[in-house]
Amino acid sequence: MREKLSNYFSFVFEDELIDEIVQVGTYKKLRENELLVDLGDKMVGVPLLLEGAIKIVREDKKGDEILLYFLERGDTCASSFSSALSHRKCGIRAIAEKDSEIIFLPIAKLDEWLVKYKSWRNFVIDSFNIRLNEMMETIDTLAFMKMDERLYKYLMDRAQIMRETALTTTHQDIAYDLHTSRVVISRLLKQLENEGKIKLHRNKIEILEF
């Protein structure tokens, strides 16, 4: 675990902080589509993503989901962090988009590290800023983009997060993420294919303009 931490975080955290994370953190592997945290969960730790990608979604009163943002290697979940510090139940659902590796950091250390390590304080502030900007981008997308533009942006963002130009997914899964119907997604995907931006395969979408 220390090697993975050092590979990515040696230029982010002090060696002393990395040593503490190794001592108190809980290492966990997630399979693709495995649930990390769910709505209403009591947060006993905060995830630090070492490898993979995590999808963060919200759910409305009807049970419909909407995608908020993705986490990638080196990220933590600001929403989980906030819930942990305030001892509130989790307000998001986090699902592994691909096989992933995380370290759960205990709540008891979060406040202590904010005072003890400047690198940790900067990391947390940066994480909140990044997630806030992504949330604002999500709002702008919903308010100002047409569905075909939202769909193409979603595909490009996901390809970047997954570090793959061929996305394994279904039309229904995309519809869930974008809070629309499968019929609409299927029509718009075909439109994007006709425009030469993507190539459709069975349960896979290849991004041609990346």
Side-chain angles (χ1 to χ4, degrees), residues 38-39 54-70 79 91-95 97 134-143 145 147 150 154 172-180:
D38 204 357
L39 293 159
I54 305 292
K55 179 172 68 175
I56 307 297
V57 300
R58 283 277 290 175
E59 188 177 278
D60 65 18
K61 294 180 180 180
K62 297 179 181 179
D64 294 327
E65 292 182 349
I66 186 165
L67 173 68
L68 296 181
Y69 50 81
F70 291 100
S79 179
I92 53 92
R93 177 175 292 129
I95 308 161
E97 277 288 281
E134 288 175 337
M135 292 283 289
M136 292 175 64
E137 187 175 327
T138 297
I139 293 171
D140 287 346
T141 298
L142 289 169
M145 280 189 175
M147 183 55 73
R150 287 179 57 199
Y154 164 88
Q172 186 62 68
D173 287 340
I174 298 173
Y176 283 141
D177 284 346
L178 296 184
H179 209 279
T180 187

Side-chain angles (χ1 to χ4, degrees), residues 71-89:
L71 302 177
E72 55 184 323
R73 185 179 65 182
D75 285 340
T76 189
C77 179
S79 179
S80 299
F81 200 103
S82 176
S83 297
L85 287 179
S86 62
H87 303 286
R88 290 185 290 106
K89 292 183 178 179

Side-chain angles (χ1 to χ4, degrees), residues 23-40:
Q23 291 171 10
V24 303
T26 302
Y27 175 77
K28 183 176 181 179
K29 285 186 176 182
L30 296 172
R31 298 185 302 275
E32 183 179 348
N33 295 322
E34 185 175 352
L35 189 66
L36 174 58
V37 294
D38 204 357
L39 293 159

Side-chain angles (χ1 to χ4, degrees), residues 28-34 49-54 96-102 162 164:
K28 183 176 181 179
K29 285 186 176 182
L30 296 172
R31 298 185 302 275
E32 183 179 348
N33 295 322
E34 185 175 352
L49 187 58
L50 297 177
E51 293 288 347
I54 305 292
E97 277 288 281
K98 60 194 298 189
D99 291 348
S100 301
E101 300 175 42
I102 64 167
M162 300 289 282
E164 297 175 359

Side-chain angles (χ1 to χ4, degrees), residues 6 8 12 35 67-68 86 135 156 167 183 185 194 201:
S6 296
Y8 192 80
V12 180
L35 189 66
L67 173 68
L68 296 181
S86 62
M135 292 283 289
M156 294 292 284
L167 303 174
V183 173
I185 293 300
N194 291 338
H201 306 276

